Amino acid sequence: MAAPLKVLIIGGGIAGPALAYWLSRIDAKVTLIERSPHIRASGQQVDLRAQGVYMMKKMGIEDAVQAAAVRESGTQLVDTNGRTKAFFPTVQNGALKQSFTSEYEIMRGDLVNILYSLTQNCENVNHLFYTTVDSITQDDENDPHGKVHVNFTHGAQEDFDLVVGAEGTGSKTRAMMLGPDAPDPRRRVEGAGKGFIGYFSIPSKPEDSDRGTFCHLPKTSVSRIIATRKDCPEITRIYMLMYGTDDALEKAYASGNLAQLKKAFAGIYQDGGWECNRFMEALQNAPEADDLYCTPLEEVHLPRGSWSKGRVVLVGDSAHTKTPEGFGTTWGLIGPYILAGEIAALYGTARWTPSAAVIQGAKNYEEKFRPVVTARHGSRSWIEYVTLPTSRLGTRLLHTFAPVAAHLRFDQGCGLDRRTTKWRLPHYPELTNQLEKVCSTAASSFPDSYYYPELAKLSIDSGWTW
Ligand SMILES: Cc1cc2nc3c(=O)[nH]c(=O)nc-3n(C[C@H](O)[C@H](O)[C@H](O)COP(=O)(O)OP(=O)(O)OC[C@H]3O[C@@H](n4cnc5c(N)ncnc54)[C@H](O)[C@@H]3O)c2cc1C
Ligand SMILES: *[C@@H]1O[C@H](CO)[C@@H](O)[C@H](O)[C@H]1NC(C)=O
């Protein structure tokens, strides 16, 4: 028997804790580090789609996800006077025929908590907060006992068999792995200029709809959509999607300054029609809006074969972001399963040294998963063209034809293409044969995730100095 695999996972969002769970099933010794001082349970609604639904069931968290799920009755389009133009009801029939509103909509924070709870009682999994890494070096790939040498920011040094970057789009592990001369693999989404997506919370009014409500605003120098969603009575969540380039927003994002960022968004959406002025007033004055989170519309394009280098490997958004595609959470949950499964299939077998098993397993993971997850990189799906029109005429056409589409149920199977639908989750007996090895089931009580003012200052990733 090989010694337990010793793993460092950097980043405790979706992919990090999911990987910790799968590795705990093969008795790996896992350290999961997160730079935020506590579980970073912020964010708005995320959804699990297609194979993500099966993945969630495989992880045994369906009941916990169901219990925390947001019940949204459907999605509607309104015009700038607030009149409903089309309505797409939520479909409750399993995985593949979901509408714009998934049956498994859940607040990101609730999902992060559920994933953490899977390993919180595991002796083999150590969760460390307010912790990150300064440098990573590793032994030659041919060294059968080779390790990764990690220098933590607080001064400690430790060796690992495997180091995984799960830090999201701005991954520092990725930068260290690729080296200083490699180009930054982040690209702004084709045709979207320097577009952004942003979310925040405001106090509710009784007339706020329980439907996901989308309003296309008249085009200015940029194209704008604003939307509301409701997951709890007291609070309405505001979603902003902007295509085009706005210099003030670009600068504010780079500064990482929350007040400046709020001002820049208000500059774009003020006087846009519908309830924009109420939303922008709240953005700038209501304490609830301090949870503003925003991210550029961007994709991570790594050259083939570079999701890993030796014993350092990337999962989740750090390997393959595509914003705003709606599959980030689904893929963020599946990638860790495949990585753990591919390594488990080789580790401890006679043919592979421990080090070679890790290196080859990481390569196999990319080979299996990359074609699925990057299938739609660099292109916009028809659904994006239809739902994100960039002109006045486009909006008028959308409002005219959306009711027809709703009637014909075009929205069902939303976001799926044929290649994605056909793909089946691989089966790894090494991961699933020992069901009794679950260290804990999903905890029954989670911290309230409605609103975390103390985390607000952490919402803008570019604001970190380490
Ligand atoms: C605060 C937040 C809010 C979000 N809100 C939404 C949302 O409302 N809707 C949506 O669709 N998607 C949202 N996302 C993105 C979504 O979670 C991801 O697209 C997807 O789930 C893939 O997850 P991931 O684990 O790869 O990355 P992420 O979920 O981005 O998690 C990365 C984690 O790594 C941590 N981290 C980053 N750098 C370091 C470092 N150097 N050292 C240690 N830890 C580090 C981050 O603090 C974070 O906890 C949000 C992400 C974050 C971080
Ligand atoms: C890690 O820390 C040790 C001790 O401080 C130092 O000697 C070494 O150079 C560091 N490694 C890197 C790559 O910075």
Side-chain angles (χ1 to χ4, degrees), residues 134-137 149-152 155-157:
D134 266 349
S135 73
I136 297 172
T137 54
H149 313 288
V150 175
N151 281 10
F152 290 91
Q157 289 163 262

Side-chain angles (χ1 to χ4, degrees), residues 445-466:
S445 72
F446 304 107
D448 181 5
S449 73
Y450 283 170
Y451 170 51
Y452 288 88
E454 75 277 15
L455 290 186
K457 63 183 192 308
L458 303 176
S459 333
I460 313 161
D461 273 323
S462 63
W464 290 87
T465 50
W466 46 266

